[in-house]
Amino acid sequence: MEVSVEQLVYVREDEYTVARMSAEDAPGFVAAGRVLAGVQPGETLRLTGDWEDHPRHGRRMTVTACERVAPSTVRAIRVYLGSGLIRGIGPRLAHAIVSHFGESSLTVIDTEPDRLREVVNIGPVRQAQIVEAWAEQKAVAALMVVLQGFGVSPLLAAKVYQTFGAESADILTRDPYRLIGRVRGIAFTTADKIALRSGVPERSPQRVQAAIIDRLEAAAAGSGHCFLPLPTLLAQAADLLGQDDELVRQMVDALAAERRVVVEASLTDARQTAVYAKEQHAREVRLAANLARLHHARSTLPMRPFQEDPGLNDDQRAAVTTALTSTVSVLTGGPGCGKSHTVRVIAATVRAMGGSVTLTAPTGKAAKRLSELTGLPATTIHRMLAHQPDPDSGTLFEQTPAQADLIVVDEASMLDLHLATRLTSALTPGSHLLLVGDGDQLPSIGPGSVLADLLRVEEIPRVRLTHVFRQAGGSAIIRAAHRVRAGEVPALPGGGGFWFEELDDPEQVAKRVVHLATEAIPRKQNVPADQVQVLCPMRKGAAGTAAIGRVLQERLNPAGEGKAEHWSGDTVFRVGDRVMPIRNNYDKGVFNGETGTITAIDVAERLVEIHIDDGGPVTYGFDRLDELTHAYAISVHRSQGSEYPIVVAPLVAEYGGVMLQRRLLYTLVTRARSWVVLVGSRDALELAVHRLGHRRNTTLAPRLSLMLRASS
């Protein structure tokens, strides 16, 4: 049966797809099945399947086989061209093309593209755009067939083409391991499936080395490790490959000889051998060297007498003195201990002495919050470094911003190895670097544990604020946060800003969280639903960000007549959706953790327009939507640096011991300004309070200590 795809109705994470179809003898019906994965509105398909009566969709086809075919009728061609599949052609232009060329329209585009100029409103630029998009669409369709032949999701085809272009098909068959780390969604397992079916021997050096690199990259991306102990790496890679440790050890040595990995005696345990990916080792060494250089530099801060603020306590006065006399220092402490006020005093003192100050933070929200709390302008680290060289790329810029006498970095727990290296590489020796943060919060999303590592270096001056001021001490949120940090369960069920609601079943927990976030809390607190943020310890599961986020989207921004939407894989983006970039994009000036609202979806140009909070409009192509995630329910990690009026969060045992740990719960609780409501089991709460979690594998602290002692 030959049909046209009219609309995607639903796509599950396992690629099970429900779509509305039309055919000459069936003007409108629903088809469903995993074999429909990757189909797009406008495509023509040849389907085989069984009919059934569905309680919601009525007459529905369960599809058992799906083949993409070229549309042959005038109507099907018009639908295909007007669907947005070919960038540069919208419904009006599709009508004009088909009216002019009829059933030959696709043949003209494919073999006689110059004739497109016969159509009104198609000039040389538009024609070139259409030809390029047509070639891309054909290539992606061919890649989908290749991937399906390897038993791999066809949804990855567009991402592969986006990365490798015309080389995509050749790389898939000749060197699929190149896909790892380059194409989002392709790790070793997927690339290995393609390679083995292409005839790559199981013990080939290419395969074993790819597994080793994959394990190092997975350790960095998943657990934040900068290195893996050699025995751990050997065991993980051998298990992934189904091979023996000795073969893996030989390939580790080969990679070390090629300088693709670094093998060295661990600085934390002389009996241990550490294996780093080359980039992680280079960054850690560079960061330690940068900090040592800044630490030993002679201060350029003009020291003049200043009036001490009489409202400071002893620890705060010590923090002011430390920041003024040390070129690298750390100010840490929990919520309500006066970090922001201390920073304001330090900045005012430096200015009174004739010095310059830059206040900065890793994310836009954190920078805005810093500015609000101190009354001084603040910027993101990324924007401060916009014209600085990236040490990883070696790129040099003609313009470098003036260096301040004091650079304050707030929310320093969010600094990963890469950003910290960029920051310290850009600073002029003699400037004062003050890192401000809460050492008990979660570490960065990226690899490394910069703030925690610096707090373990005795030579780096630091002040910890411990006094909770009376005004802050009256907050139930702050009281709960300090109890969690001390390893104590907060008073339950709570009240006055902190509340725990006990439920055990994860599905019931998820339903309750949705009800609280969309109905109960907005009604009781008389606030709009966008003042309530759902935070989840993990993505997967009935009470994870993916499942809860989908339900919240349907409640808060459902599909509607005339409301533009676009499916990207198993995710639908609609006008009005709240979204968050999950990658830094320096060209667009948007950064991981910022939030915004989708304001328009241009099907013809295949673009999504977003208005970034505290920013402006930016656009993402349909092929870049994997850089976005919905912000209805987000992970606790992605909430770092942000503060929300009201937070609702599920805590369930299915998260297991990995995610339920003290730093995560402490970070979660401290994200709320007025109320935090936890829903889940008491066992999960107690596990989160008492479990310390793993320490990341880094050697920044001992490496920096050695450098400081050697040069002192």
Side-chain angles (χ1 to χ4, degrees), residues 214-226 280 444-447 637 696:
D214 176 80
R215 290 300 83 199
L216 290 174
E217 292 180 348
S223 301
H225 295 312
C226 296
Q280 301 297 352
S444 57
I445 293 177
H637 253 116
R696 294 183 170 186

Side-chain angles (χ1 to χ4, degrees), residues 132-475:
E132 180 184 358
W134 174 261
E136 179 179 327
Q137 178 65 18
K138 286 179 61 179
V140 170
L143 283 177
M144 294 178 83
V145 174
V146 173
L147 288 171
Q148 284 178 314
F150 285 123
V152 174
S153 169
L155 296 178
L156 296 169
K159 298 177 184 179
V160 173
Y161 188 84
Q162 175 188 323
T163 303
F164 294 105
E167 295 182 283
S168 299
D170 184 50
I171 288 171
L172 274 175
T173 54
R174 182 175 49 82
D175 189 10
Y177 295 113
R178 282 182 63 188
L179 302 172
I180 301 172
R182 300 283 303 280
V183 179
R184 186 174 173 82
I186 297 185
F188 177 83
T189 304
T190 301
D192 195 46
K193 180 186 290 187
I194 298 171
L196 293 176
R197 291 195 179 189
S198 299
V200 173
E202 289 188 357
R203 294 177 64 85
S204 70
Q206 176 192 27
R207 179 173 185 253
V208 180
Q209 291 180 4
I212 293 167
I213 297 296
D214 176 80
R215 290 300 83 199
L216 290 174
E217 292 180 348
S223 301
H225 295 312
C226 296
F227 70 88
L228 282 178
L230 180 59
T232 302
L233 176 61
L234 296 180
Q236 289 186 3
D239 182 64
L240 191 64
L241 292 161
Q243 300 295 325
D244 55 271
D245 289 12
E246 182 54 36
L247 176 62
V248 177
R249 176 59 194 259
Q250 293 173 14
M251 290 302 103
V252 169
D253 292 341
L255 287 169
E258 296 172 12
R259 297 184 179 180
R260 293 173 61 191
V261 302
V262 175
V263 181
E264 66 178 21
S266 172
L267 296 176
T268 56
D269 184 348
R271 299 165 299 176
Q272 188 182 79
T273 299
V275 184
Y276 295 79
K278 178 182 67 175
E279 296 80 7
Q280 301 297 352
H281 185 268
R283 287 171 184 163
E284 192 172 84
V285 171
R286 188 181 298 120
L287 176 56
N290 289 346
L291 289 167
R293 171 177 54 88
L294 294 171
H295 176 77
H296 285 303
R298 177 175 294 181
S299 171
T300 59
L301 184 65
M303 291 299 294
R304 299 174 186 170
F306 62 91
Q307 183 69 40
E308 287 192 351
D309 188 318
L312 299 182
N313 62 30
D314 290 344
D315 287 343
Q316 289 176 307
R317 281 193 289 273
V320 173
T321 301
T322 300
L324 296 180
T325 57
S326 304
T327 48
V328 178
S329 61
V330 178
L331 172 61
T332 185
C337 292
K339 293 193 300 296
S340 298
H341 179 66
T342 305
V343 168
R344 180 165 61 241
V345 172
I346 292 170
T349 302
V350 170
R351 287 179 169 178
M353 295 165 57
S356 57
V357 179
T358 295
L359 300 185
T360 185
T363 67
K365 279 195 172 183
K368 181 183 178 184
R369 188 175 170 216
L370 175 62
S371 181
E372 291 172 347
L373 292 172
T374 62
L376 300 170
T379 185
T380 64
I381 297 172
H382 302 91
R383 290 191 173 96
M384 186 182 77
L385 301 178
H387 301 290
Q388 294 288 348
D390 184 337
D392 286 341
S393 68
T395 305
L396 296 177
F397 297 84
E398 294 180 0
Q399 181 183 359
T400 50
Q403 298 298 317
D405 294 301
L406 171 67
I407 295 92
V408 179
V409 180
D410 197 20
E411 297 287 355
S413 61
M414 298 175 67
L415 285 176
D416 64 12
L417 200 58
H418 175 60
L419 185 57
T421 303
R422 283 203 68 199
L423 170 68
T424 54
S425 295
L427 300 186
T428 301
S431 297
H432 287 226
L433 173 63
L434 173 62
L435 300 176
V436 182
D438 189 339
D440 294 308
Q441 287 193 19
L442 283 171
S444 57
I445 293 177
S449 189
V450 175
L451 180 62
D453 285 345
L454 290 183
L455 290 172
R456 288 194 287 269
V457 179
E458 294 180 0
E459 295 83 357
I460 298 295
R462 85 289 308 276
V463 174
R464 183 182 185 93
L465 304 181
T466 57
H467 174 73
V468 179
F469 287 87
R470 185 170 60 181
Q471 183 177 1
S475 164

Side-chain angles (χ1 to χ4, degrees), residues 569-603:
D570 62 357
T571 302
V572 61
F573 292 95
R574 297 190 184 109
V575 170
D577 274 343
R578 294 287 294 163
V579 293
M580 170 184 286
I582 57 175
R583 296 187 205 171
N584 296 330
N585 190 314
Y586 301 103
D587 294 333
K588 298 181 186 298
V590 296
F591 306 105
N592 187 352
E594 294 184 320
T595 53
T597 302
I598 295 179
T599 53
I601 296 177
D602 189 329
V603 174

Side-chain angles (χ1 to χ4, degrees), residues 467-589:
H467 174 73
V468 179
F469 287 87
R470 185 170 60 181
Q471 183 177 1
S475 164
I477 293 174
I478 291 180
R479 289 199 304 270
H482 281 280
R483 285 183 68 90
V484 170
R485 188 180 65 174
E488 301 172 0
V489 176
L492 301 179
F498 175 86
W499 187 261
F500 177 75
E501 186 168 319
E502 189 168 1
L503 279 175
D504 288 329
D505 180 72
E507 293 187 0
Q508 293 302 314
V509 169
K511 289 180 180 179
R512 183 59 178 163
V513 165
V514 170
H515 176 71
L516 286 168
T518 60
E519 297 180 41
I521 291 176
R523 182 174 62 248
K524 186 171 183 178
Q525 298 294 323
N526 194 27
V527 296
D530 63 8
Q531 296 293 294
V532 183
Q533 179 64 56
V534 174
L535 302 181
C536 302
M538 67 183 298
R539 180 179 184 276
K540 296 183 178 180
T545 59
I548 291 180
R550 278 197 171 202
V551 179
L552 287 171
Q553 181 191 27
E554 291 306 315
R555 292 280 184 90
L556 299 173
N557 190 34
E561 188 72 30
K563 182 183 291 186
E565 67 177 38
H566 174 74
W567 282 87
S568 176
D570 62 357
T571 302
V572 61
F573 292 95
R574 297 190 184 109
V575 170
D577 274 343
R578 294 287 294 163
V579 293
M580 170 184 286
I582 57 175
R583 296 187 205 171
N584 296 330
N585 190 314
Y586 301 103
D587 294 333
K588 298 181 186 298

